[in-house]
Amino acid sequence: SFFILIVILGFLLLTGRRAGIILVTFGGLGALFHNNFKKISILNIIKNVIIILLIGLMIQIKPIKNMIFKTSPRIHSILYDDISNLDIDRSLLIRKAMVEKGINLLNSNILFGVGLNNFNKSETEVSGDFDGSEYVISKDIFKKTSSHNSYINILAEGGLFLGIPFVLILLFIIKNFISNFSKLNDFDIIIFVSFSCMLIHFYYINAITNSLSWLNFSLALTTIFRIKNKL
């Protein structure tokens, strides 16, 4: 399992997936050490702290830092540079602009949105009401550019007609996972970790139509119904 996790992280490093590598790291470790979450004790808390400290110390080793820099300067920047540098990070600024575009598209048709798969085909005025907007607002990014955000994409393309049912599904899954946490077996906890990381990643990527996303939804719902029906 560790080997597979390292291979996946290596691939994410090579492709410069910043949000992906962070979430897969924590999600993968959460899945591998899931027993530490279910059986909360002082010993398990100490184990978790030690694991986090070891990871933190390992990525500070100079050869590893150099390897990360040579492979992906973008990931090196988010791991080691001053966090204030993110204020001028073009990728994050484009995401902020797409959030503003999505809200404007939603306001133009709050009930049904602009239609499925029409986000990157629609144009709307974006004022750039966020810090660093001057770096991206004049760029040709407001057409043929992904929303980079699954939640914004659903609201902009489907309006409240699609957004409200989607939010209700999320709330149903989260509520039942939390309320039935003591009843979860090992596989259930891993599904919960995967689902939680996916929800965070949804804010940084438009993957709502990805089949693997809905595999996560189906696994989560199957787990909940199995527990509710005591199967």
Side-chain angles (χ1 to χ4, degrees):
S1 298
F2 272 111
F3 175 74
I4 294 172
L5 178 60
I6 290 171
V7 170
I8 294 173
L9 292 176
F11 176 77
L12 292 171
L13 179 63
L14 287 171
T15 53
R17 302 293 182 179
R18 295 181 295 181
I21 199 168
I22 292 172
L23 288 169
V24 170
T25 297
F26 284 102
L29 292 175
L32 291 172
F33 297 101
H34 61 274
N35 284 327
N36 290 354
F37 298 104
K38 191 169 184 180
K39 301 174 182 177
I40 298 177
S41 65
I42 294 177
L43 181 59
N44 282 338
I45 292 174
I46 293 173
K47 285 181 181 179
N48 292 334
V49 171
I50 291 174
I51 291 170
I52 293 171
L53 289 176
L54 287 175
I55 293 173
L57 289 172
M58 186 178 68
I59 64 174
Q60 294 300 325
I61 298 174
K62 192 170 182 179
I64 293 180
K65 290 176 70 173
N66 292 337
M67 182 272 292
I68 294 174
F69 179 77
K70 291 178 181 177
T71 306
S72 176
R74 296 174 75 238
I75 291 178
H76 182 277
S77 176
I78 202 170
L79 288 176
Y80 302 106
D81 290 350
D82 191 328
I83 195 170
S84 62
N85 290 340
L86 294 176
D87 293 337
I88 57 173
D89 182 272
R90 299 301 190 272
S91 179
L92 291 178
L93 291 175
I94 289 174
R95 282 171 164 78
K96 289 182 179 180
M98 291 304 103
V99 169
E100 188 172 331
K101 175 185 175 180
I103 293 173
N104 289 344
L105 291 177
L106 172 64
N107 289 332
S108 68
N109 191 338
I110 197 166
L111 291 179
F112 301 105
V114 295
L116 299 181
N117 298 319
N118 283 332
F119 183 95
N120 57 1
K121 301 174 186 176
S122 304
E123 288 190 82
T124 184
E125 183 179 351
V126 176
S127 61
D129 189 21
F130 55 90
D131 292 338
S133 62
E134 64 272 16
Y135 295 105
V136 296
I137 202 70
S138 60
K139 305 295 183 182
D140 184 22
I141 61 172
F142 298 105
K143 197 169 184 181
K144 298 181 180 179
T145 301
S146 167
S147 60
H148 294 88
N149 187 314
S150 296
Y151 304 110
I152 289 296
N153 204 83
I154 285 177
L155 288 170
E157 293 187 351
L160 297 181
F161 183 78
L162 185 62
I164 291 176
F166 181 72
V167 170
L168 291 176
I169 292 173
L170 294 185
L171 292 176
F172 175 81
I173 293 174
I174 294 170
K175 172 187 175 296
N176 280 280
F177 262 127
I178 293 174
S179 61
N180 293 292
F181 192 78
S182 61
K183 301 176 184 177
L184 302 182
N185 60 34
D186 291 351
F187 296 107
D188 298 337
I189 293 176
I190 293 173
I191 290 171
F192 179 62
V193 170
S194 176
F195 187 80
S196 300
C197 289
M198 181 189 74
L199 294 187
I200 298 172
H201 202 196
F202 269 176
Y203 190 79
Y204 299 97
I205 188 173
N206 178 25
I208 195 59
T209 57
N210 190 302
S211 57
L212 290 177
S213 299
W214 289 99
L215 173 63
N216 254 336
F217 274 97
S218 63
L219 289 172
L221 288 167
T222 301
T223 296
I224 290 168
F225 291 133
R226 177 182 55 78
I227 293 173
K228 280 181 169 292
N229 295 316
K230 299 179 180 179
L231 298 177

